[in-house]
Amino acid sequence: MGLKSIWTKIYQTLSSVRTGIFLIIVVGVFSAIGTVILQRPTSEPSDLQRAYSPETLLWLDRLGLTDIYHASWFLVLVCLFCLCLIFVSLDRWPNAWKVYANPVRFATAPFRASLPQSVKIPVKDGVAALSVAESILGRVGFKAERVTNNGETGLFAEKQRFSVFAVYLVHLSLLFICAGYYLVDSTIGYRGYIQVPEGQALSQILLRDNRGGETKKMLPFQIRCDGAGMEAYADGSPKKWWSNLTLIENGREVVAKKIVVNDPLSYKGIRIYQSSMGDTGELKSLVLTATPSNGGIVETVKVPQNGKAALADGESVSVLRWIPNYYIQDNEIFKKSDDLENPAIQLGLTDLKGETKKLWMFPVQLNRTKDEDVSYVFSLAGQPQMVQFTGLQVSYQPGQFEVWIGVVLMAFGLMIAFYTQHTRVWATVISDGKGGQILWAGGTTNKNRDRFQAKFEQIKAALQEELGGAAQANKNSENTLTKA
Amino acid sequence: MSQARVEQQRPASGAVLLVLVGLGIAFALLVALLAAAKAHTGPIYGEANMLYAALVLYTGAATLYMGYGVTGIERYVSAASLLTALGFAANTAAVAHRWSVAGRPPFSNMYEMLLSFVWTLALLTLIAERAYKVKIIGSITMPITVVSVILMQLLPSEVRPLVPALQSTWLQVHVTLAMLSYAACAVSFALAMMFLIQDNMKTEGFQAITATGMIAVYAGMLITRFRSGNLAVTAYDLESKSEVMISRGHPLFVQIPDLGWLYLLVLVSAIVPLVLYVAAQVKKDRSLFDVASKGMFVTILLQVVGLAIFVTRVKNGRYGAPEADGLYATAMPANPFLLAGIVGGIVAGLLYLLLLWRREGLQKMMPSADKLDTVTYKIICIAFPLLTLMIAAGAYWANQAWGSYWSWDPKETWAAITWLVYAGYLHMRITRGWKGRRAAWFAILGFAVVIFTFFGVTYLLPGLHAYAAG
């Protein structure tokens, strides 16, 4: 007893298929549990608070049950499973390689005894019988080669020898996927969110952590939004969300692209997705109807934020304050939200002397200015245009290449594993110990034994028909000869 | 010889009559449900008419297949097969028409997915029948297609333009593969059940399976929808043909008074036979099986009553909800999970009764156990690569649309679990030589997981959380 035997024990445990299957079932069960308990990364913190009592939530968090797939104990399970895959493969590899590189071409007596499928037929002429067997094997798709061993001649044929590697390919693909996801993407990869208002360039994204909070992260470049919008179908449902983005690295514009949902922008492995869209609450422009108090011509002017619009009589109008959704408390106007619901607009009317009069307008209550001693009455013509922001999902997943490699390997591996099989057949002439000759034929496969069994039955039937018949015929002709 | 056969069947003729009357009632119920369906307009070759034709033909086929199951008359099969083929043609026309109108393959919502699912199921039924000579399979798959088409009549079916997230070729690939693989899984399930019948599993065993299925359905329903005696159903605005939402992603649940109690009673009535079965097994007392068998009649009867009351109360009446003032209407389309569960339970019950009364006849009609075992394996060999590619295509699409190829969303996780179960089946079969009963149970488990992934994840899991939140 000692360290060595402990290692042997661990190696034995981890290199058993039983352990692997047990581990994968445990991982599956916990994955299923993770779909029943709300998970931090995929649900809103408020949903969790509503669904569970504070103590329950505390314990769920402590046990990692609110983020099972990234919990340390889940990682340990996955690591153990990967180790198991590696050990199982290492343990069985030498044998598989031997079968592949040095196939048993001649069926010696002990080997013959170990084969599950075999047939013995007494024959007169061993050499001729072997030729018959060769042609029968050829007919069922086995191209046999002649093998000699210590002066004995035999037949050997095999199909789909590469099939022995399928299991290693599948194991390797699983390792690739686990490594890509857990080793790379869960450690150096990230996924965050950023809102960029039109015309601005930002580089700080927010990442959701597994405690329901958010952490900040700086991107190595700035994202500038040059415009964003939505196209709708005739029935009003959204057809397309788009944003024109420019990436600025070290003060230089490095890449520009119009992104839409399902078509992200990718730069240095960082991918930027269209996720949402909305109003910032800041005004872009207003369209006003200006009615002169003295009965002149009514005109419509467009007032940009931070700008003025000239009126016919030489005066000008500007927007002094803009509140998209207001409320009044203690005779003061406050902002309730950034949504365009109940706006308050303060206009400035600058006369020819350069003096500015402040005019309030609350379009939801009354769509015109109420001040009577001024030269114009203004009212809102159409929806105010607000500055849009584009909500972007930013993700860095350098491990995805390993994952895709793993997926492709797995597809190949599974196809080979489930739909091909390494089948081998041998035939040789042996002595029956009484001076007679026996044609022996046997075969084996590494999987899907029923199917091979059916195939071997076919071979057996053909051999018995032709050789048994031939032996009979030989005997008959001999009999005839002796009689004659 | 034929005389002897007729003699053999005589004792069952009372039961045959009962089943036929039951089928008749079921059909009348379906027609009543259809009365609620929309008026059919548009060209005669149009989707709505073609689908209606497919429904009529499929219903005929299902009845004939079940009739074949009951009486064993071979002629029924050729007629049923012909009707299925005609229905399939009409179904194809409906798919083609919708495809040409929408300008994209029909996979974007529940209605379109069912349309494709039914098409695949009918095709696989025809293939299984022609290529593998498994004639009886139609009596399981065709009722499923009929229920699906009825469900479709109740779902909003306007061709809606695709929202931006769904405008991806990969999504179409993903959904096509999902439909094909799920349909193949459904067929493998039916074959595995038939294998168990041919493998001389005791009828009590099937009774236990049926009761377990029913318990799962009603427990799932009650866990998510039971509100102190009432049954919560989704409110539905009949004019806009859409669910009433409280806020984004949170539909309004209205409560149908006292229906919860009725369904609790149904649940208890389904638990009783299972408990009796277990007791009979433990005590080795065969007389308890007979009691359990009577219990099955009671629960099936209660379920039919439950469906009738559900349909009438949903159709006529407006109900209140604690979260909102006023009364709201509800409709079948808003509650596909409940409807599918109730109808599924009744269909399972009818199939059980069929087995109970006509076991010997059924066994004569079915292919041999060995053959069924092999065909189940072959079908899973088809389903599995489809399942693998479906998950890969889904991951690729998610990577394009949401920025992550895998985000442990419940649907993804359950798809992966489904994949593991079928991988386990093939692994055990190929390397360990598992076949026969163990393999059949594995295939049944696989399909149970598929059902959960398809219905449970969509309706049960969010429902679970909605309830926790309420």
Side-chain angles (χ1 to χ4, degrees):
Chain A
M1 282 301 278
L3 207 57
K4 202 175 166 196
S5 70
I6 292 171
W7 274 117
T8 318
K9 192 88 194 153
I10 291 175
Y11 181 81
Q12 275 171 355
T13 312
L14 282 179
S15 60
S16 103
V17 176
R18 217 172 265 264
T19 315
I21 288 171
F22 171 75
L23 283 170
I24 196 101
I25 289 173
V26 172
V27 168
V29 166
F30 277 112
S31 302
I33 291 173
T35 63
V36 179
I37 300 170
L38 287 176
Q39 298 291 296
R40 290 270 183 206
T42 47
S43 33
E44 294 297 325
S46 60
D47 284 343
L48 279 142
Q49 275 157 9
R50 264 196 306 162
Y52 308 115
S53 73
E55 298 98 84
T56 317
L57 192 55
L58 185 71
W59 277 103
L60 288 178
D61 276 335
R62 274 191 194 159
L63 294 171
L65 289 170
T66 51
D67 192 10
I68 285 182
Y69 312 111
H70 305 100
S72 44
W73 51 265
F74 193 80
L75 283 177
V76 169
L77 281 177
V78 173
C79 283
L80 278 177
F81 176 67
C82 289
L83 276 180
C84 191
L85 279 181
I86 294 171
F87 283 0
V88 164
S89 307
L90 287 179
D91 198 48
R92 285 150 183 76
W93 173 260
N95 199 21
W97 180 249
K98 211 171 89 189
V99 168
Y100 185 80
N102 300 310
V104 180
R105 301 181 116 81
F106 187 82
T108 53
F111 189 80
R112 288 199 293 269
S114 73
L115 284 180
Q117 303 283 331
S118 65
V119 62
K120 284 181 188 170
I121 301 164
V123 289
K124 205 81 191 150
D125 180 359
V127 178
L130 217 52
S131 301
V132 171
E134 190 173 4
S135 81
I136 287 174
L137 287 178
R139 260 183 278 151
V140 294
F142 285 101
K143 207 173 141 28
E145 55 174 312
R146 293 210 169 230
V147 193
T148 49
N149 181 50
N150 295 334
E152 291 178 283
T153 311
L155 292 175
F156 171 63
E158 63 175 344
K159 272 206 276 195
Q160 298 172 334
R161 203 199 306 174
F162 57 86
S163 164
V164 298
F165 293 133
V167 60
Y168 303 99
L169 212 54
V170 174
H171 287 180
L172 191 67
S173 75
L174 281 169
L175 290 176
F176 261 104
I177 292 172
C178 288
Y181 185 79
Y182 277 113
L183 226 56
V184 184
D185 282 354
S186 293
T187 51
I188 61 167
Y190 54 82
R191 209 172 155 211
Y193 182 74
I194 184 172
Q195 284 189 355
V196 189
E198 274 177 85
Q200 289 191 38
L202 300 175
S203 64
Q204 179 186 289
I205 61 169
L206 291 174
L207 314 177
R208 192 183 271 179
D209 64 29
N210 59 5
R211 287 268 173 261
E214 282 178 329
T215 52
K216 293 167 185 162
K217 180 172 181 72
M218 299 302 280
L219 292 175
F221 50 75
Q222 287 181 305
I223 304 170
R224 192 179 71 208
C225 174
D226 299 327
M230 185 190 107
E231 287 169 28
Y233 291 106
D235 69 349
S237 62
K239 180 183 183 185
K240 195 178 191 182
W241 281 296
W242 56 270
S243 302
N244 278 324
L245 302 182
T246 304
L247 302 188
I248 303 164
E249 195 176 26
N250 304 323
R252 228 161 38 82
E253 292 183 6
V254 284
V255 61
K257 185 178 178 181
K258 178 176 184 172
I259 65 163
V260 294
V261 176
N262 275 319
D263 185 17
L265 162 63
S266 179
Y267 178 67
K268 290 191 173 172
I270 299 173
R271 316 214 295 163
I272 301 163
Y273 297 81
Q274 183 70 61
S275 158
S276 61
M277 200 154 277
D279 293 326
T280 53
E282 277 174 43
L283 188 68
K284 201 169 171 185
S285 65
L286 278 181
V287 179
L288 296 172
T289 309
T291 314
S293 309
N294 56 14
I297 302 160
V298 178
E299 54 180 322
T300 307
V301 292
K302 187 176 177 184
V303 192
Q305 169 73 339
N306 310 321
K308 285 182 176 182
L311 296 163
D313 68 351
E315 292 182 284
S316 65
V317 61
S318 61
V319 180
L320 299 179
R321 279 183 75 186
W322 158 260
I323 300 166
N325 190 12
Y326 79 95
Y327 69 99
I328 293 179
Q329 197 177 347
D330 304 330
N331 263 339
E332 288 272 338
I333 290 186
F334 294 99
K335 183 160 91 176
K336 197 172 174 184
S337 75
D338 281 339
D339 304 318
L340 183 61
E341 276 176 22
N342 186 12
I345 307 162
Q346 192 181 41
L347 299 173
L349 181 64
T350 310
D351 62 18
L352 295 170
K353 291 174 214 149
E355 277 177 29
T356 302
K357 281 210 176 82
K358 294 175 178 175
L359 316 170
W360 276 108
M361 174 161 66
F362 307 99
V364 173
Q365 285 78 34
L366 180 67
N367 188 15
R368 63 179 176 83
T369 50
K370 288 188 286 186
D371 309 68
E372 282 169 2
D373 53 339
V374 290
S375 47
Y376 281 94
V377 172
F378 294 101
S379 62
L380 205 55
Q383 284 278 55
Q385 292 292 305
M386 298 217 291
V387 176
Q388 293 259 300
F389 72 79
T390 178
L392 304 170
Q393 192 86 248
V394 180
S395 84
Y396 179 58
Q397 293 181 316
Q400 62 170 291
F401 299 104
E402 280 89 326
V403 171
W404 296 128
I405 290 171
V407 168
V408 172
L409 282 182
M410 179 178 282
F412 276 112
L414 289 175
M415 293 302 140
I416 298 173
F418 291 151
Y419 308 114
T420 71
Q421 51 210 331
H422 183 210
T423 29
R424 292 176 289 172
V425 288
W426 294 266
T428 188
V429 178
I430 54 175
S431 142
D432 65 356
K434 290 174 246 161
Q437 282 185 317
I438 290 175
L439 180 90
W440 172 94
T444 185
T445 181
N446 61 343
K447 50 202 158 195
N448 216 344
R449 290 183 205 287
D450 323 347
R451 211 166 132 190
F452 178 68
Q453 205 171 339
K455 191 103 186 175
F456 193 78
E457 287 303 321
Q458 203 185 331
I459 296 173
K460 204 160 133 182
L463 281 174
Q464 267 159 352
E465 193 194 318
E466 294 187 22
L467 289 177
Q472 204 63 48
N474 275 349
K475 224 177 245 172
N476 284 347
S477 59
E478 260 171 46
N479 286 347
T480 332
L481 280 175
T482 13
K483 266 181 194 168
Chain B
M1 190 66 190
S2 71
Q3 192 66 37
R5 224 183 143 174
V6 171
E7 284 297 322
Q8 232 176 18
Q9 287 185 355
R10 190 156 291 162
S13 61
V16 171
L17 197 68
L18 237 156
V19 171
L20 288 177
V21 170
L23 286 174
I25 292 171
F27 187 67
L29 212 60
L30 305 185
V31 175
L33 280 175
L34 276 177
K38 60 197 182 296
H40 298 144
T41 51
I44 186 95
Y45 59 85
E47 180 201 342
N49 291 320
M50 280 297 143
L51 195 61
Y52 192 74
L55 174 65
V56 172
L57 291 163
Y58 284 161
T59 311
T63 316
L64 281 171
Y65 274 122
M66 292 184 81
Y68 167 67
V70 173
T71 59
I73 299 171
E74 288 271 343
R75 258 176 317 162
Y76 284 6
V77 179
S78 39
S81 181
L82 181 68
L83 285 181
T84 308
L86 288 174
F88 178 72
N91 194 344
T92 310
V95 171
H97 187 248
R98 190 176 187 89
W99 192 327
S100 75
V101 167
R104 57 174 168 74
F107 302 123
S108 82
N109 57 25
M110 195 69 180
Y111 174 89
E112 297 189 341
M113 288 205 283
L114 278 173
L115 183 64
S116 311
F117 174 75
V118 165
W119 186 86
T120 317
L121 203 58
L123 179 64
L124 284 177
T125 306
L126 288 174
I127 290 175
E129 197 184 303
R130 298 276 155 89
Y132 297 117
K133 308 274 178 274
V134 190
K135 286 178 187 158
I136 192 79
I137 194 145
S139 53
I140 297 169
T141 53
M142 292 321 284
I144 298 177
T145 61
V146 172
V147 171
S148 305
V149 179
I150 288 165
L151 210 59
M152 282 165 62
Q153 301 283 334
L154 301 164
L155 287 168
S157 65
E158 309 89 82
V159 175
R160 289 236 173 104
L162 284 177
V163 297
L166 301 185
Q167 296 163 2
S168 166
T169 323
W170 283 100
L171 176 71
Q172 315 293 357
V173 172
H174 170 65
V175 179
T176 314
L177 290 168
M179 281 301 125
L180 289 172
S181 61
Y182 286 177
C185 292
V187 173
S188 76
F189 165 77
L191 289 165
M193 289 299 272
M194 282 156 56
F195 169 83
L196 290 179
I197 295 172
Q198 286 299 62
D199 198 40
N200 295 322
M201 191 173 105
K202 291 205 177 76
T203 308
E204 294 96 64
F206 290 98
Q207 181 198 303
I209 299 177
T210 316
T212 310
M214 289 170 174
I215 291 168
V217 165
Y218 283 90
M221 216 145 78
L222 290 171
I223 288 169
T224 54
R225 301 296 179 85
F226 187 81
R227 305 279 193 281
S228 51
N230 304 337
L231 189 78
V233 294
T234 319
Y236 195 74
D237 186 347
L238 296 169
E239 287 189 358
S240 70
K241 273 201 163 189
S242 62
E243 296 177 352
V244 180
M245 303 301 250
I246 306 174
S247 60
R248 217 183 130 174
H250 293 278
L252 175 67
F253 285 104
V254 293
Q255 302 184 358
I256 302 181
D258 303 328
L259 204 55
W261 291 126
L262 178 63
Y263 284 170
L264 192 63
L265 186 67
V266 174
L267 176 64
V268 172
S269 73
I271 290 174
V272 169
L274 188 66
V275 170
L276 285 171
Y277 169 81
V278 174
Q281 287 284 17
V282 173
K283 290 188 168 177
K284 300 198 168 24
D285 179 0
R286 285 207 54 86
S287 66
L288 283 176
F289 283 132
D290 300 334
V291 185
S293 191
K294 292 204 176 73
M296 283 302 281
F297 288 109
V298 175
T299 185
I300 293 167
L301 202 65
L302 272 177
Q303 286 179 29
V304 174
V305 171
L307 174 64
I309 294 181
F310 179 74
V311 171
T312 46
R313 300 209 72 175
V314 162
K315 272 208 74 187
N316 321 308
R318 304 169 76 83
Y319 304 95
E323 299 94 332
D325 298 330
L327 299 175
Y328 295 86
T330 178
M332 297 294 184
N335 300 284
F337 161 61
L338 295 182
L339 194 63
I342 299 168
V343 174
I346 293 173
V347 170
L350 290 178
L351 287 173
Y352 161 73
L353 290 181
L354 184 66
L355 181 70
L356 181 68
W357 289 326
R358 297 290 309 153
R359 174 136 197 180
E360 276 182 26
L362 282 176
Q363 280 184 303
K364 272 188 206 125
M365 279 178 263
M366 288 180 193
S368 69
D370 270 350
K371 174 126 196 170
L372 285 166
D373 186 54
T374 316
V375 179
T376 310
Y377 164 63
K378 279 186 181 163
I379 296 273
I380 290 179
C381 277
I382 297 169
F384 187 74
L386 292 172
L387 209 57
T388 312
L389 293 175
M390 181 264 280
I391 295 174
Y396 196 82
W397 170 59
N399 201 31
Q400 290 291 312
W402 313 120
S404 181
Y405 51 87
W406 196 261
S407 37
W408 294 102
D409 161 89
K411 200 95 180 170
E412 283 177 344
T413 310
W414 276 99
I417 293 171
T418 313
W419 184 88
L420 277 182
V421 172
Y422 280 107
Y425 172 91
L426 288 175
H427 187 268
M428 286 317 203
R429 175 141 199 144
I430 289 168
T431 64
R432 296 285 163 99
W434 276 30
K435 51 187 291 191
R437 241 181 232 199
R438 281 193 293 192
W441 280 112
F442 222 134
I444 290 169
L445 171 73
F447 188 64
V449 178
V450 166
I451 287 286
F452 188 81
T453 310
F454 196 63
F455 278 109
V457 175
T458 317
Y459 298 105
L460 205 58
L461 291 183
L464 207 62
H465 295 141
Y467 183 55

